[in-house]
Amino acid sequence: MRSIIPLALLLTTFDATYGIRLPFEVRTNTPPSHISRRSTTIGVKNLGNAQYIGNVTIGGVQARVLLDTGSSDLWANFPTTQPTSTDLGESINLAYAVGAASGNAHAATVQIGDYSVDNQAFLLVANTSSFSTDIHAQGYDGLLGLGPNKGSVIYKKLDGHTGDTLLTHIFEQNTSANAYITFLLDRKNAPSEPFTGQLTISELVKGFENVTSMPKLDVDKVNKLLSQDQHWQAITDKDVGIIGPDGNPIQVDSIVPSAPDGTYVAVFDSGFTFNQVPRDVSDAIYGRVQGAVYDSKNEYWTVPCGQYLNISVSFGGVQYPVHPLDTVDDNFNAKDASGNRVCIGAFQPITSAFSLLGHYDMILGMSFLRNTYTLLDFGSWADGAGGENPYIQLSSVTNSVQARQDFVTTRLGGTDTINDPKWALLPASQMQHSPISAEEKKKEYEEKILSRWPYILVGCLVGLLLIVGCCIWRFCCSAKAKARRAKKNKKASHLFATEPESTAYLPLESPYGAGDSQSQLSLNNQHHGASHHS
């Protein structure tokens, strides 16, 4: 899915700049005497824990772009100086969860860090009015998709490899290195945040090398006919995929037909500020909080900011705790109906991003990804069919004990009152449930049909084959029956044609013999005649 965070949430642009490190090897178009390994740092802004921005240069003009693992295309809008580029004559529209980007495909020299790619295809967006706010005022000019090549709309629109993604071209420049990226997302306003945000290509962040020893999570594949909808997604552990605030697993049926029972399919998408989860999961996390209110307009829970909630998500047998400052978000100056400050539940019911085709259950956005050092290995997506299957590795960067102390310092004024009765969860019988809109019910119904269309199609084909088979069987049986009757009738006709006449009704033989019989008959006739005339 192509995702852009709800821009209305971006109320403040912060000036603090953090580095994204892009280390790699460079291979030029002419045969080099050697391949050099270099590292570089480019400026990145963490916009209020809501967006992560990197810098690229397109056609000689710098553009601030969102770093989005949930999409694959590069697009930008330039309000003043226009880049030096070639119009490829193809009109393209990129639809996102919020807003759309449309314009013509162009080709230009694109630079990111020390990498330079000639004739890189991108979408030059002429109009950004479909977004709810001015994107430039919010701190960015476009978006860089970090997803698979097949997920690119530009790639599908252009001939051959003209539309290959920026990462695809970078991996082609450096075929001697593994095709993967890694990233760390920093957290603002956390007392113990030990690192700044970083993105690497084909190299690990120093001090986080242990990520390669973590379980390799195979990317959950979507139906091949819909490969353009393939994302960085994996299956949670069975029965313990999400541990709720009461310490018990939250168990909801998956909408993905192929998902094993008791699991969820999760997309890792840095383009979403909040996690998008099944409504029942969101209710299970926030519905038992005292004072929790569901905001139907904005479609999220609001809770008291002092509410400590301990949530974890499990992959590959490893539990990944979510920082309580991420679970109960205080970055957007939210107010209740009385104007009192409240916080937002960052596990938001999935609505606009709901998968009608049943490809995934939830989207883990920035509020989860800040808790892991993430490695995304493209494998065969970059190397072709012969490469290793793409996979994901996660290393936890959140210490639960330290995270609790951070929460106490930030939200409770330094005094640990987490066990105060006012913060106790309500009994399960008193849990609130958020309302389901008519539109959401319609989507759920459509999903049940659309996500199972291969099975429905197979069922219809099997049913059709059975009907055709029954018709053929009945026809064959009827033909055989007719043949048997025809054969029987033929035999009967032959029998009657060759047998002597039946003797059952032959006249009794005269006792007078053959000669006397005629004489006797004549005498009788005479006798009857005489009697008649007398």
Side-chain angles (χ1 to χ4, degrees):
M1 102 235 34
R2 291 175 297 281
S3 55
I4 282 189
I5 339 98
L7 300 180
L9 292 176
L10 300 180
L11 304 176
T12 306
T13 300
F14 292 84
D15 294 329
T17 302
Y18 298 92
I20 277 188
R21 193 165 58 90
L22 289 172
F24 40 77
E25 296 176 5
V26 175
R27 178 171 293 171
T28 60
N29 291 329
T30 58
S33 58
H34 67 281
I35 296 175
S36 61
R37 178 175 295 276
R38 293 177 287 176
S39 296
T40 186
T41 300
I42 64 174
V44 172
K45 288 184 178 180
N46 174 352
L47 300 182
N49 290 334
Q51 293 177 330
Y52 291 85
I53 311 297
N55 292 328
V56 298
T57 300
I58 301 175
V61 181
Q62 189 176 87
R64 302 162 298 173
V65 291
L66 298 170
L67 302 173
D68 182 20
T69 60
S71 66
S72 303
D73 290 296
L74 170 64
W75 66 264
N77 171 263
F78 299 88
T80 54
T81 304
Q82 298 301 303
T84 301
S85 64
T86 302
D87 191 334
L88 299 177
E90 191 72 53
S91 179
I92 294 175
N93 182 71
L94 304 176
Y96 292 87
V98 178
S102 59
N104 277 8
H106 281 239
T109 298
V110 176
Q111 296 170 310
I112 180 169
D114 284 348
Y115 274 121
S116 180
V117 177
D118 294 332
N119 297 315
Q120 174 61 50
F122 73 101
L123 182 65
L124 182 60
V125 175
N127 190 341
T128 60
S129 61
S130 66
F131 296 112
S132 58
T133 59
D134 182 353
I135 65 171
H136 305 294
Q138 296 298 334
Y140 69 97
D141 309 304
L143 180 146
L144 173 59
L146 302 173
N149 203 43
K150 286 186 177 180
S152 167
V153 176
I154 297 174
Y155 167 77
K156 292 195 290 287
K157 281 278 190 177
L158 301 180
D159 295 332
H161 293 283
T162 306
D164 281 350
T165 67
L166 180 61
L167 277 179
T168 298
H169 284 141
I170 289 174
F171 292 144
E172 288 173 350
Q173 288 184 10
N174 186 23
T175 56
S176 63
N178 292 333
Y180 68 85
I181 63 173
T182 78
F183 58 87
L184 280 169
L185 302 181
D186 64 295
R187 181 183 300 104
K188 282 186 174 293
N189 306 320
S192 65
E193 190 66 12
F195 51 79
T196 60
Q198 298 185 60
L199 170 71
T200 71
I201 299 177
S202 300
E203 189 169 315
L204 302 174
V205 173
K206 186 177 181 180
F208 294 87
E209 294 85 356
N210 69 318
V211 68
T212 59
S213 66
M214 302 306 293
K216 290 183 178 180
L217 309 177
D218 290 334
V219 171
D220 181 62
K221 300 292 185 64
V222 302
N223 189 289
K224 287 186 178 180
L225 295 177
L226 300 168
S227 59
Q228 68 271 18
D229 294 322
Q230 181 67 64
H231 305 291
W232 291 109
Q233 57 193 62
I235 299 175
T236 66
D237 288 340
K238 180 179 175 60
D239 297 330
V240 292
I242 303 176
I243 303 298
D246 60 359
N248 295 317
I250 301 174
Q251 296 182 334
V252 176
D253 290 338
S254 171
I255 68 168
V256 182
S258 60
D261 291 342
T263 66
Y264 302 99
V265 177
V267 172
F268 299 92
D269 190 343
S270 64
F272 273 88
T273 303
F274 294 149
N275 307 306
Q276 308 291 298
V277 297
R279 183 170 294 276
D280 287 344
V281 172
S282 182
D283 291 352
I285 294 174
Y286 304 108
R288 292 171 60 187
V289 172
Q290 298 180 57
V293 175
Y294 185 73
D295 185 330
S296 296
K297 178 182 178 181
N298 293 306
E299 298 180 323
Y300 51 59
W301 284 95
T302 60
V303 297
C305 290
Q307 182 67 56
Y308 174 86
L309 296 174
N310 190 19
I311 307 295
S312 64
V313 185
S314 183
F315 294 97
V318 179
Q319 281 194 359
Y320 297 90
V322 179
H323 201 295
L325 294 176
D326 291 326
T327 303
V328 178
D329 193 287
D330 188 27
N331 292 294
F332 304 107
N333 196 30
K335 305 287 184 181
D336 64 13
S338 301
N340 298 315
R341 171 176 164 268
V342 291
C343 283
I344 298 172
F347 284 84
Q348 182 180 12
I350 189 168
T351 52
S352 61
F354 183 80
S355 176
L356 285 176
L357 296 175
H359 287 163
Y360 54 85
D361 298 294
M362 60 185 181
I363 301 168
L364 297 178
M366 303 172 201
S367 54
F368 172 80
L369 294 172
R370 276 192 291 272
N371 297 277
T372 63
Y373 174 46
T374 304
L375 185 153
L376 306 177
D377 193 298
F378 284 72
S380 60
W381 287 349
D383 303 328
E388 186 178 8
N389 289 333
Y391 62 85
I392 302 163
Q393 288 178 294
L394 305 171
S395 178
S396 178
V397 296
T398 297
N399 179 285
S400 297
V401 175
Q402 183 60 56
R404 177 177 175 134
Q405 186 57 49
D406 289 347
F407 187 86
V408 170
T409 301
T410 304
R411 300 286 180 82
L412 300 178
T415 303
D416 190 342
T417 59
I418 288 174
N419 294 324
D420 191 290
K422 71 178 181 179
W423 304 123
L425 296 175
L426 296 170
S429 60
Q430 297 180 31
M431 182 175 72
Q432 298 184 69
H433 295 275
S434 57
I436 303 176
S437 66
E439 179 66 20
E440 192 172 346
K441 289 181 180 179
K442 179 183 176 182
K443 285 184 177 181
E444 290 180 353
Y445 175 75
E446 291 173 345
E447 180 276 328
K448 289 180 180 178
I449 296 174
L450 294 175
S451 67
R452 291 158 178 80
W453 69 263
Y455 306 98
I456 295 173
L457 178 61
V458 170
C460 291
L461 290 175
V462 170
L464 180 62
L465 290 174
L466 288 174
I467 292 172
V468 172
C470 287
C471 291
I472 294 174
W473 178 75
R474 292 197 64 178
F475 175 79
C476 292
C477 290
S478 177
K480 288 181 179 179
K482 287 182 179 180
R484 285 196 298 268
R485 286 196 297 270
K487 187 175 181 181
K488 186 175 181 181
N489 290 338
K490 184 177 180 180
K491 285 183 177 181
S493 299
H494 181 72
L495 180 65
F496 287 130
T498 57
E499 284 185 342
E501 290 185 355
S502 173
T503 57
Y505 297 100
L506 288 177
L508 291 176
E509 196 173 297
S510 171
Y512 303 104
D516 294 336
S517 176
Q518 185 63 33
S519 301
Q520 184 63 37
L521 180 59
S522 178
L523 289 173
N524 288 338
N525 286 339
Q526 291 178 4
H527 173 73
H528 284 293
S531 299
H532 178 73
H533 292 288
S534 59

